[in-house]
Amino acid sequence: MSRPVHYPRIASFKTTGEFRAYLKQSKLTLELDDELIAGRDAPLAQPYRLSNGFVVGNRFCVLPMEGWDGELDGSPSELTIRRWQRFGSSGAKLVWGGEAVAVRQDGRANPNQLVINEKTLAGLANLRESLIAAHTERFGKADDLLIGLQLTHSGRFCRPNDKKRLEPKIAYHHPLLDRKFGLPSDYAVMTDDDIARLIEDFVAAAQRAYRAGFAFVDIKHCHGYLGHEFLSAVERPGRYGGSFEDRTRFVCEIVAGIRATAPQLQIGVRLSAFDFVPFRPGVNGMGEPERFDGAVYRYAFGGDGTGVGIDLAEPKKFLDLLASLDVKMVCVTAASPYYNPHLMRPAMFPPSDGYQPPEDPLVGVARQINVVKELKKYRPDVTLVGSAYSYLQEFLPNVAQHVVRNRHADFVGLGRMMLAYPDLVADVLAGNPLQRKRICRTFSDCTTAPRNGLVSGCYPLDEYYKQRPEAKELEVVKRKR
Ligand SMILES: Cc1cc2nc3c(=O)[nH]c(=O)nc-3n(C[C@H](O)[C@H](O)[C@H](O)COP(=O)(O)O)c2cc1C
Ligand code: SF4
């Protein structure tokens, strides 16, 4: 694992004071609390009332994370169940989607992604129940636990039949992504009729999720997958591209269909609130932005036209639109793991298909936290979950408490830390010191493994994965790099 030497390790800061001094010296806007409060008065332990009256028991949220480990028919496997049980026993009271679940076969991001249909429904219901059972066993009750299911179609990044073969479904021809992923200029774009059928599949999937007991569905609009691609389909003609109204018709029609057929089901959206151009390895493997033709980069939703800057005008408009549809739960994330992963999951060590971090990963953390802060200020009535906290490591609880205490977000979402050290939540809430050996150090093995056809998991820190045969295969893959 090579790594650039010039970003200090988080573990090298011994106190919040030292960490704050570094942030200041680096001109990073990221605030944190010195003292952590535990027990009843802990800001992170406060219940949160949703707009429908449901009270979520605390402010920790499990972010969706797939494991590339479902059965070929789209049902959960033993590994999937284990992951969800660990999510349940973490103590977090909001489970945002669990993991991406395809609404139909051709929308799977890999042949082992979960799919929701009549055949897999019992397995998905059991998955949810396993999470609840693990939660109840440890914490005694689950009436303040809210569990949703993330519904997706992977669009440009579908690999439904073969881990190595992309079978993209695209909303438009993206000049840089077409080139990067080898799509010819005459590759078929989804027609409006194709999209109308897909909307029906999303609605059917949501009805099934309701039958399986999920409290809400997330209509995924992030990470370069199809929902997200619509938001930047500025050049697409017809009903689903062009103006803001047409680019958001996809989500509006799905919401209308769900309201008509499963009115009790809540709806949320996971949103990449900003995006940049794709990055590629440059000198010394360091990430650098791809060049684009023309003066303005038009394909980044939430971008400012430079390709590497943010303009939240449209994301704010999108929140307004969702609120007008009574969709008042949004989980904020950024960009895409396929073409600019450092923005989405800041890491010291890149995954095998990535590049060396072009900025201190703390810049990426602060960027996402500050975007959520701005969105929360704009729409205090919309419940917002933030992401990308795992890189904060020892200081995760201090930043999380500051954010929630000051209402810069309603929930602190945890991704990778949930794979490495799910008990962090229970430890923080109980006022226990963190178990330092279990802290995610952003080695990216949980991404490198699936990029090389292996199941995902925390190979460096989770004993269960350390012992699996895939751990050896992963070592071989990493040695070859
Ligand atoms: C192995 C892995 C799988 C992921 N799968 C999903 C997914 O299925 N859906 C999704 O919206 N995000 C997914 N993500 C992104 C995470 O939800 C999260 O946004 C990201 O890891 C940043 O949060 P963190 O810093 O706490 O890890 C995945 C991340 C990882 C590491
Ligand atoms: S493999 Fe483990 S330590 Fe590495 S990034 Fe993933 S969760 Fe963190």
Side-chain angles (χ1 to χ4, degrees):
M1 264 180 277
S2 57
R3 101 184 162 89
V5 286
H6 51 281
Y7 308 130
R9 286 171 188 266
I10 297 291
S12 69
F13 302 112
K14 298 298 171 218
T15 62
T16 49
E18 277 182 29
F19 185 51
R20 191 178 285 110
Y22 174 72
L23 293 172
K24 192 170 172 208
Q25 170 204 324
S26 310
K27 300 194 170 43
L28 272 172
T29 310
L30 187 64
E31 292 154 299
L32 65 155
D33 284 354
D34 288 310
E35 300 296 329
L36 291 177
I37 307 168
R40 280 176 165 265
D41 295 335
L44 291 164
Q46 295 313 301
Y48 180 90
R49 185 177 293 275
L50 295 171
S51 59
N52 72 346
F54 185 90
V55 178
V56 184
N58 63 39
R59 304 309 187 91
F60 279 110
C61 169
V62 183
L63 295 176
M65 268 176 305
E66 55 185 303
W68 288 261
D69 54 15
E71 305 292 354
L72 286 177
D73 74 350
S75 306
S77 68
E78 297 267 304
L79 285 178
T80 325
I81 293 172
R82 177 185 185 265
R83 189 170 51 257
W84 282 53
Q85 285 170 332
R86 281 161 61 92
F87 292 166
S89 63
S90 71
K93 291 287 187 180
L94 176 57
V95 179
W96 189 285
E99 64 189 273
V101 177
V103 299
R104 64 187 202 196
Q105 169 64 18
D106 75 355
R108 290 169 101 175
N110 71 82
N112 295 95
Q113 185 171 51
L114 301 185
V115 185
I116 182 163
N117 58 36
E118 281 307 305
K119 279 198 189 133
T120 60
L121 201 55
L124 291 170
N126 175 53
L127 192 59
R128 173 184 161 276
E129 279 151 22
S130 314
L131 188 156
I132 296 174
H135 187 85
T136 312
E137 192 182 324
R138 184 162 181 193
F139 302 101
K141 63 175 196 152
D143 58 352
D144 54 355
L145 172 67
L146 191 78
I147 310 170
L149 193 69
Q150 182 175 61
L151 300 182
T152 191
H153 186 291
S154 291
R156 188 175 282 280
F157 300 108
C158 292
R159 283 187 178 90
N161 300 306
D162 180 336
K163 287 174 186 171
K164 295 199 177 118
R165 194 175 74 241
L166 276 171
E167 297 179 48
K169 299 275 182 243
I170 55 172
Y172 68 93
H173 277 289
H174 184 303
L176 301 187
L177 292 179
D178 281 11
R179 195 171 68 211
K180 195 173 177 74
F181 295 98
L183 246 61
S185 57
D186 59 354
Y187 193 84
V189 172
M190 287 181 88
T191 65
D192 284 3
D193 284 349
D194 292 338
I195 293 164
R197 275 190 291 276
L198 178 60
I199 288 168
E200 285 171 16
D201 291 332
F202 263 91
V203 174
Q207 283 173 268
R208 291 191 173 108
Y210 180 63
R211 278 169 50 210
F214 290 94
F216 72 97
V217 287
D218 161 20
I219 311 300
K220 187 172 187 178
H221 274 66
C222 58
H223 303 162
Y225 297 112
L226 195 61
H228 185 209
E229 183 154 292
F230 278 114
L231 297 180
S232 62
V234 286
E235 286 167 1
R236 184 188 164 95
R239 285 170 57 76
Y240 299 100
S243 67
F244 177 82
E245 191 193 359
D246 289 342
R247 281 180 281 132
T248 53
R249 192 183 304 284
F250 179 68
V251 71
C252 291
E253 291 188 353
I254 293 173
V255 171
I258 297 174
R259 296 278 190 241
T261 52
Q264 306 291 336
L265 184 68
Q266 286 219 80
I267 303 174
V269 167
R270 189 150 204 236
L271 172 70
S272 277
F274 62 88
D275 201 1
F276 285 7
V277 286
F279 274 58
R280 62 173 176 215
V283 180
N284 293 332
M286 184 80 84
E288 62 179 32
E290 302 256 12
R291 293 208 185 85
F292 57 92
D293 292 335
V296 178
Y297 184 70
R298 306 182 68 200
Y299 313 104
F301 181 73
D304 67 358
T306 63
V308 290
I310 300 174
D311 177 354
L312 292 179
E314 281 214 331
K316 286 177 179 168
K317 220 166 139 181
F318 191 60
L319 287 194
D320 290 338
L321 172 74
L322 292 177
S324 75
L325 302 173
D326 203 25
V327 174
K328 290 196 157 174
M329 290 168 62
V330 175
C331 183
V332 180
T333 172
S336 168
Y338 295 102
Y339 55 83
N340 44 26
H342 73 288
L343 298 168
M344 176 213 170
R345 34 186 193 240
M348 188 65 96
F349 306 93
S352 58
D353 63 343
Y355 42 77
Q356 294 297 337
E359 61 187 13
D360 186 328
L362 281 172
V363 176
V365 174
R367 190 185 284 116
Q368 286 204 41
I369 288 178
N370 290 322
V371 160
V372 178
K373 181 177 168 182
E374 187 174 336
L375 294 176
K376 185 69 201 168
K377 193 169 166 203
Y378 178 69
R379 284 299 310 214
D381 60 324
V382 175
T383 302
L384 291 187
V385 180
S387 306
Y389 286 75
S390 289
Y391 183 75
L392 289 164
Q393 302 163 55
E394 275 81 354
F395 300 102
L396 189 161
N398 306 72
V399 174
Q401 181 178 293
H402 183 90
V403 164
V404 165
R405 199 170 53 74
N406 291 285
R407 299 198 175 90
H408 296 162
D410 301 300
F411 289 89
V412 169
L414 300 183
R416 291 161 294 180
M417 197 63 86
M418 276 289 155
L419 301 179
Y421 176 19
D423 298 329
L424 174 135
V425 172
D427 280 341
V428 170
L429 293 174
N432 297 333
L434 294 190
Q435 302 172 45
R436 297 189 67 179
K437 286 194 173 142
R438 299 184 65 192
I439 293 178
C440 166
R441 299 297 179 191
T442 68
F443 295 126
S444 291
D445 284 10
C446 49
T447 304
T448 294
R451 292 287 188 263
N452 292 280
L454 305 170
V455 295
S456 175
C458 184
Y459 290 87
L461 302 179
D462 180 347
E463 279 306 319
Y464 183 85
Y465 282 90
K466 265 190 202 174
Q467 305 306 330
R468 288 186 64 85
E470 290 92 341
K472 290 201 177 61
E473 291 182 57
L474 185 62
E475 277 316 308
V476 175
V477 167
K478 283 165 60 182
R479 267 202 298 276
K480 280 192 196 145
R481 282 164 65 191

